[in-house]
């Protein structure tokens, strides 16, 4: 436990210790040049190049630690922030674009329930019991009844078939798990994805800003590629309409080819095929597309 004293003066950054957010978080850290050595089974890892300690915790608990100020910064899902009821106590710095899914009310396909209101007074099983209680409070009040909310930690979809629930509240991404259990969704309560979140009163705000801009750079870099090509200056105007860049394309003259220029511009990765076709039609040659791993734009 020697290194507990080494945590003094370090920014504490909570990262999901396993599960579907883990790999993406590790790749964000690596893309942001936050280096660390983590020994097997160890949930605290000191960064070797920045005054940061990474704390590996269950995603579901991270919003609570951030809200209470036990850690300065964290990555978790928006659903976990809502379930921990800490929306007002943390700053959601930015959406990270992964862990995207919907929190839905689901019922058996062959059943009588068609609306969330029809479940008033019935039995709901969920891992999101705090949120479910807030959802059913007004519904119960209007119907003059009390819905039973029971917590289970996983495999929530099994609850209806097992006779434990009339409906469930759980996450849906592809819908495969829901359909396999003979369920369908009748109401979306929340759209969620992973976010970078911070404590509102951290003493490490400068470092939080630095990490945020590095992570933002990694996310932007994953959406864009750099496109370079050569083109006759007479065709430049039509080519730059195809690749306007984020501000403007970089244009330099080609010494060896009178009247020709070299152009480079960031383009959206998902449009690269179409853009290359159109550049070719506009007279561009030597068209190349290159990925980059981080950027500040
Ligand atoms: N099927 C899914 N698709 C996308 N995101 C998901 C999915 N299931 C869970 N998530 C998101 O992943 C985050 C972590 O979820 P959870 O705590 O259930 O861990 P997990 O990664 O599913 O691992 P496990 O359930 O095995 O412990 C949550 O914010 C949740 O919204
Ligand atoms: O719509 P889908 O793509 O099928 O994904 C949704 C499923 O993913 C999550 O379960 P997870 O795999 O985390 O298992 P768990 O129930 O043990 O948490 C979630 O709780 C759903 O069951
Ligand atoms: Mg899960």
């Amino acid at each position: 436990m020697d290194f507990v004293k080494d945590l003094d003066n370090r920014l504490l950054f909570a990262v999901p210790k396993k599960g579907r957010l883990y790999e993406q978080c590790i790749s964000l850290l690596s893309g942001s040049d936050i280096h660390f050595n983590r020994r097997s089974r160890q949930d605290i890892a000191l960064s070797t190049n920045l005054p940061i300690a990474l704390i590996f915790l269950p995603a579901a608990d991270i919003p609570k630690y951030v809200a209470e100020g036990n850690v300065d910064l964290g990555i978790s899902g928006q659903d976990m922030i809502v379930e921990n009821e800490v929306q007002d106590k943390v700053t959601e710095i930015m959406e990270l674009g992964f862990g995207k899914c919907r929190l839905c009310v689901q019922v058996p396909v062959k059943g009588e329930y068609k609306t969330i209101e029809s479940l008033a007074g019935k039995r709901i099983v969920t891992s999101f019991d705090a949120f479910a209680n807030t959802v059913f409070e007004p519904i119960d009040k209007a119907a003059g009844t009390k819905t039973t909310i029971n917590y289970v930690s996983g495999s929530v979809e099994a609850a209806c078939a097992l006779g434990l629930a009339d409906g469930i509240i759980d996450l849906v991404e592809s819908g495969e798990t829901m359909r396999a259990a003979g369920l369908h969704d009748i109401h979306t309560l929340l759209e969620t994805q992973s976010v970078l979140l911070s404590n509102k009163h951290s003493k490490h705000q400068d470092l939080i800003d630095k990490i945020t801009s590095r992570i933002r750079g990694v996310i932007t870099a994953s959406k864009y590629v750099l496109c370079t090509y050569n083109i006759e200056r007479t065709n430049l105007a039509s080519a730059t309409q195809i690749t306007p860049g984020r501000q403007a394309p970089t244009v330099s003259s080609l010494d060896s080819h009178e009247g020709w220029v070299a152009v480079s511009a960031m383009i959206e990765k998902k449009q690269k095929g179409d853009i290359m076709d159109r550049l070719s039609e506009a007279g561009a040659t030597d068209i190349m597309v290159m990925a980059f791993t981080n950027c500040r734009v």
Side-chain angles (χ1 to χ4, degrees):
M1 292 304 278
D2 246 9
F3 66 14
V4 170
K5 70 174 187 310
D6 293 336
L7 296 184
D8 290 352
N9 297 321
R10 283 181 184 255
L11 172 144
L12 305 188
F13 188 177
V15 177
K17 67 182 287 177
K18 64 178 183 70
R20 68 190 76 235
L21 303 187
Y22 177 77
E23 291 297 338
Q24 305 256 35
C25 289
I26 295 302
S27 109
L28 273 188
L29 293 175
S30 151
S32 305
D33 275 325
I34 299 172
H35 303 159
F36 61 94
N37 296 319
R38 183 183 179 196
R39 275 191 267 148
S40 166
R41 305 296 309 152
Q42 208 157 54
D43 288 332
I44 300 178
L46 302 183
S47 168
T48 50
N49 63 334
L50 286 165
I52 295 174
L54 296 163
I55 320 288
F56 293 89
L57 298 170
D61 296 339
I62 288 176
K64 202 163 42 200
Y65 285 106
V66 175
E68 295 302 321
N70 308 105
V71 299
D72 301 283
L73 192 61
I75 295 178
S76 187
Q78 289 165 323
D79 53 341
M80 299 306 180
I81 295 177
V82 169
E83 176 60 15
N84 280 284
E85 301 178 312
V86 294
Q87 298 95 310
D88 297 337
K89 290 191 181 169
V90 300
T91 302
E92 275 188 41
I93 303 176
M94 70 176 152
E95 295 180 338
L96 299 174
F98 54 88
K100 285 186 176 178
C101 50
R102 298 179 296 128
L103 186 59
C104 296
V105 181
Q106 303 166 37
V107 293
V109 176
K110 296 180 189 149
E112 63 195 279
Y113 306 111
K114 306 273 183 262
T115 63
I116 184 168
E117 288 77 17
S118 64
L119 286 164
K122 305 292 186 268
R123 298 163 307 153
I124 300 291
V125 162
T126 183
S127 307
F128 295 82
D129 54 324
F131 184 52
N133 273 301
T134 66
V135 167
F136 274 95
E137 201 180 278
I139 294 172
D140 283 359
K141 207 167 169 189
T145 183
K146 182 81 192 96
T147 304
T148 306
I149 314 275
N150 274 319
Y151 171 84
V152 298
S153 65
S155 303
V156 183
E157 290 86 351
C160 291
L162 294 175
L164 206 63
D166 301 301
I168 63 160
I169 295 178
D170 199 29
L171 299 167
V172 176
E173 197 236 335
S174 64
E176 216 172 301
T177 315
M178 172 176 74
R179 285 191 292 276
L183 304 173
H184 69 152
D185 62 309
I186 55 169
H187 193 93
T188 297
L189 296 168
L190 190 72
E191 306 236 358
T192 173
Q193 66 170 289
S194 56
V195 287
L196 182 68
L197 63 150
S198 68
N199 179 268
K200 286 191 188 295
H201 311 290
S202 169
K203 61 181 181 188
H204 296 288
Q205 195 54 49
D206 287 352
L207 195 46
I208 289 175
D209 292 344
K210 182 189 277 198
I211 296 166
T212 300
S213 81
R214 287 191 185 192
I215 291 179
R216 184 169 284 123
V218 177
I219 293 171
T220 306
S222 72
K223 291 185 190 151
Y224 289 87
V225 285
L226 187 68
C227 179
T228 66
Y229 54 90
N230 298 332
I231 195 157
E232 273 190 284
R233 197 176 276 283
T234 47
N235 292 329
L236 181 60
S238 50
T240 53
Q241 276 181 4
I242 302 166
T243 61
R246 279 175 66 90
Q247 287 175 10
T250 306
V251 180
S252 28
S253 52
L254 277 176
D255 287 345
S256 50
H257 287 72
E258 183 72 30
W260 281 71
V261 287
V263 183
S264 64
M266 278 170 75
I267 60 169
E268 266 193 83
K269 192 189 268 181
K270 61 181 182 215
Q271 292 185 357
K272 63 180 185 305
D274 180 48
I275 287 177
M276 290 171 84
D277 293 342
R278 288 164 60 204
L279 284 174
S280 192
E281 283 159 21
T285 62
D286 305 301
I287 307 166
M288 283 188 282
V289 160
M290 285 157 282
F292 47 96
T293 56
N294 206 332
C295 63
R296 297 292 156 93
V297 287

